[in-house]
Amino acid sequence: MAASKKAVLGPLVGAVDQGTSSTRFLVFNSKTAELLSHHQVEIKQEFPREGWVEQDPKEILHSVYECIEKTCEKLGQLNIDISNIKAIGVSNQRETTVVWDKITGEPLYNAVVWLDLRTQSTVESLSKRIPGNNNFVKSKTGLPLSTYFSAVKLRWLLDNVRKVQKAVEEKRALFGTIDSWLIWSLTGGVNGGVHCTDVTNASRTMLFNIHSLEWDKQLCEFFGIPMEILPNVRSSSEIYGLMKISHSLKAGALEGVPISGCLGDQSAALVGQMCFQIGQAKNTYGTGCFLLCNTGHKCVFSDHGLLTTVAYKLGRDKPVYYALEGSVAIAGAVIRWLRDNLGIIKTSEEIEKLAKEVGTSYGCYFVPAFSGLYAPYWEPSARGIICGLTQFTNKCHIAFAALEAVCFQTREILDAMNRDCGIPLSHLQVDGGMTSNKILMQLQADILYIPVVKPSMPETTALGAAMAAGAAEGVGVWSLEPEDLSAVTMERFEPQINAEESEIRYSTWKKAVMKSMGWVTTQSPESGDPSIFCSLPLGFFIVSSMVMLIGARYISGIP
């Protein structure tokens, strides 16, 4: 037994990876970056009204406890001593907004997810108050005014949820993105929990000045947000507090372990892909799709629909790094939609098998604009469409079109990135759950017409959080010096079609995107009225709904 323990011993680092679709806890060897064990739990998404997306903050927290507990059990079975876990990092879905009661520890409403669209009318009314010649919101935050970011979600909660209003009046309310909710809970909650966030998550709220690295008084006044409910902003790599979860026996074994890393998921993936040099970029395929390019210590503002965001700040006294980001709302989520809404697959993995059966979409194009279009369009009026259908089209073609959609959307943000940076990327580094789909990776190389490079260990988001935690001052078990970073084995996908065919397919996709726009012209789901498509006649929707129902049954093979 002792010999087998010694083979894997050394300082270990854990990482909580809390995403939109699932929660995971992973444990790495800090000297080799080897993934030793992990556990994953799927998270429910609730859709109470058209355009609304919510999650239960308590379910998210309990999923973290469960993942920690199960991973510790698995480590025990591998004869790995969990007392060697020296630090824990947190990576999280960004922008998703939680308000909770610091006295009871109870959430005051469900988490309003980054994909949620209920705030569109708030965005429209706020945009009228921004002078055309002085977009101070974008210049201070790097972000366009959009339903995507936390400030408008928090504004909605303050306007519409009495429990939130009352807690704010009585000085009981705390706001945070998912990282803040988790760190506060894991460090004691009502018993001294630490209310903090890091610069990467703060930079996605639309309340944070990315130049001064502070909450901005003018922005808080503009959105009507009381500054006392905001978390303290810290670097991405420092000791925030110690784990206190004694109510769970197995997880309680991590009691006293410092939580010392915190990065929004896309920043964590940038770190995990070791994109520490200016011009290095990565694309993560998760619920959405996110391409980030390191721009160094300089804020680069995009002329082509990309966001300027904080990439990381790996220590209190370390410099901040910025990134340009292309954000696509729906990537892996389209596969989940085909599974849960249309029922044409039973598991997400089946999509590859269906797509392989036909090897083409046969002229079918799928624009999954379920939450409008993000980069580079920022078009909230868009909605999902499937076009180019014929009687020959079947579920295999639609599965293939769904995978192509992810690749075409990546091409759009890569083109924007190349125009902004001036130097085209020679290859694309990729990561995330969807990269295990070999058809998707080959399609991506074909559509971009550059090689796609994938690390053999795809859990780069969790790895980035673990690296930040292990490198923190006072922990010091993970060196981020270039010469100490472990070499990563890569799998490479080369383009296999000619450039002309790639361009024809891409230009047809662009036509489909244009047809997805303008579906919603008046939207006020905040009032609780789900009939937000009032610009089109009722008969259109009755006929469309019937066609979609018949089509879904036909595609699914239901008689």
Side-chain angles (χ1 to χ4, degrees):
M1 284 291 184
S4 65
K5 274 189 185 183
K6 255 183 194 146
V8 291
L9 277 187
L12 310 180
V13 179
V16 173
D17 180 5
Q18 204 300 297
T20 316
S21 304
S22 69
T23 299
R24 288 175 294 179
F25 184 68
L26 306 91
V27 174
F28 297 89
N29 183 325
S30 66
K31 298 305 175 196
T32 63
E34 179 191 0
L35 174 61
L36 300 177
S37 189
H38 75 285
H39 188 76
Q40 179 169 350
V41 172
E42 192 165 308
I43 297 292
K44 287 193 200 102
Q45 291 179 39
E46 299 174 27
F47 307 97
R49 292 181 189 171
E50 174 65 39
W52 293 29
V53 189
E54 296 178 2
Q55 291 178 322
D56 179 354
K58 289 176 82 171
E59 183 195 346
I60 289 172
L61 179 59
H62 291 149
S63 71
V64 171
Y65 288 140
E66 182 182 343
C67 288
I68 291 174
E69 185 171 322
K70 298 288 188 189
T71 303
C72 287
E73 284 177 10
K74 290 177 183 179
L75 289 170
Q77 290 161 10
L78 294 168
N79 298 318
I80 298 171
D81 187 350
I82 59 174
S83 69
N84 282 300
I85 297 175
K86 302 302 181 189
I88 291 170
V90 174
S91 164
N92 58 287
Q93 54 171 308
R94 303 168 302 169
E95 301 97 15
T96 297
T97 298
V98 187
V99 180
W100 68 95
D101 188 320
K102 65 182 175 185
I103 307 300
T104 66
E106 291 293 310
L108 296 165
Y109 191 79
N110 273 345
V112 181
V113 176
W114 57 278
L115 287 164
D116 188 281
L117 291 176
R118 76 188 68 187
T119 54
Q120 185 54 40
S121 62
T122 301
V123 167
E124 287 166 7
S125 61
L126 284 168
S127 65
K128 290 170 187 163
R129 292 170 43 203
I130 298 175
N133 60 351
N134 177 25
N135 189 340
F136 63 91
V137 174
K138 187 167 184 185
S139 63
K140 288 186 174 201
T141 67
L143 311 173
L145 194 54
S146 164
T147 59
Y148 182 17
F149 307 108
S150 311
V152 288
K153 301 177 195 299
L154 181 52
R155 182 67 258 154
W156 185 90
L157 290 168
L158 290 165
D159 287 339
N160 293 279
V161 181
R162 181 58 195 141
K163 279 167 76 176
V164 172
Q165 295 163 353
K166 196 163 185 291
V168 169
E169 289 160 11
E170 296 172 3
K171 311 290 185 195
R172 292 182 286 109
L174 295 178
F175 153 78
T177 41
I178 294 295
D179 57 305
S180 298
W181 164 241
L182 293 180
I183 292 172
W184 183 83
S185 301
L186 294 172
T187 55
V190 295
N191 298 310
V194 177
H195 186 217
C196 69
T197 189
D198 90 298
V199 288
T200 68
N201 281 295
S203 76
R204 312 296 292 193
T205 60
M206 256 187 337
L207 300 170
F208 186 71
N209 188 314
I210 61 173
H211 309 285
S212 66
L213 303 182
E214 295 172 326
W215 298 122
D216 189 282
K217 192 166 183 288
Q218 183 188 14
L219 291 169
C220 289
E221 285 173 357
F222 176 72
F223 290 105
I225 307 299
M227 294 184 79
E228 63 270 16
I229 71 173
L230 304 178
N232 292 318
V233 182
R234 312 275 284 270
S235 77
S236 309
S237 177
E238 62 178 275
I239 295 175
Y240 312 114
L242 307 180
M243 292 279 279
K244 290 182 193 169
I245 47 176
S246 54
H247 75 278
S248 170
L249 183 63
K250 297 287 191 303
L254 300 184
E255 190 92 14
V257 175
I259 298 177
S260 51
C262 179
L263 290 151
D265 51 8
Q266 303 314 318
S267 289
L270 194 73
V271 171
Q273 285 265 33
M274 300 174 205
C275 295
F276 295 127
Q277 304 301 314
I278 295 173
Q280 285 188 301
K282 66 87 209 172
N283 196 37
T284 300
Y285 299 76
T287 299
C289 208
F290 302 89
L291 177 63
L292 269 72
C293 179
N294 188 330
T295 62
H297 306 310
K298 184 181 171 190
C299 280
V300 175
F301 284 85
S302 172
D303 294 320
H304 302 98
L306 303 181
L307 311 176
T308 304
T309 198
V310 175
Y312 53 81
K313 186 179 189 293
L314 295 174
R316 269 181 294 196
D317 303 320
K318 297 288 173 67
V320 65
Y321 281 75
Y322 296 96
L324 272 176
E325 175 176 330
S327 315
V328 169
I330 303 294
V334 75
I335 313 304
R336 189 167 176 164
W337 182 82
L338 290 174
R339 183 193 74 185
D340 297 347
N341 293 40
L342 287 196
I344 70 171
I345 51 174
K346 289 191 174 66
T347 67
S348 298
E349 292 70 33
E350 279 179 47
I351 192 88
E352 187 171 6
K353 185 172 167 238
L354 283 185
K356 195 172 183 180
E357 279 183 36
V358 287
T360 175
S361 65
Y362 202 76
C364 169
Y365 286 80
F366 189 165
V367 183
F370 302 154
S371 294
L373 289 168
Y374 283 16
Y377 301 101
W378 298 105
E379 183 49 73
S381 73
R383 285 297 177 272
I385 64 166
I386 302 175
C387 54
L389 297 172
T390 69
Q391 285 181 307
F392 183 72
T393 308
N394 63 31
K395 63 183 181 180
C396 298
H397 299 114
I398 288 175
F400 196 95
L403 295 181
E404 276 192 319
V406 175
C407 301
F408 285 131
Q409 290 179 105
T410 297
R411 166 79 187 263
E412 290 187 309
I413 54 178
L414 186 73
D415 283 357
M417 189 81 72
N418 287 339
R419 287 197 294 272
D420 278 323
C421 295
I423 305 167
L425 289 178
S426 59
H427 66 276
L428 183 65
Q429 289 177 234
V430 300
D431 58 79
M434 292 185 80
T435 59
S436 62
N437 186 321
K438 290 187 184 299
I439 287 185
L440 177 72
M441 292 295 94
Q442 186 56 55
L443 270 174
Q444 190 66 86
D446 290 345
I447 288 166
L448 297 180
Y449 213 67
I450 58 172
V452 168
V453 180
K454 171 195 154 190
S456 55
M457 199 288 292
E459 305 293 351
T460 52
T461 301
L463 178 61
M467 289 166 67
E473 188 180 341
V475 177
V477 298
W478 205 309
S479 170
L480 298 183
E481 294 303 317
E483 63 272 16
D484 296 326
L485 294 172
S486 305
V488 179
T489 312
M490 296 287 192
E491 186 175 0
R492 193 176 174 94
F493 296 84
E494 299 282 350
Q496 291 183 353
I497 62 172
N498 63 51
E500 187 183 1
E501 185 186 342
S502 179
E503 288 305 315
I504 290 167
R505 281 159 67 174
Y506 183 48
S507 63
T508 311
W509 158 263
K510 300 279 267 187
K511 275 165 61 181
V513 170
M514 291 301 115
K515 292 180 189 302
S516 78
M517 294 185 190
W519 286 88
V520 185
T521 55
T522 305
Q523 183 169 340
S524 55
E526 293 161 273
S527 63
D529 178 9
S531 52
I532 57 175
F533 304 99
C534 53
S535 61
L536 294 167
L538 178 61
F540 174 88
F541 289 101
I542 294 170
V543 173
S544 298
S545 300
M546 289 172 69
V547 169
M548 286 182 73
L549 272 169
I550 293 163
R553 292 171 68 87
Y554 171 70
I555 291 159
S556 306
I558 301 169

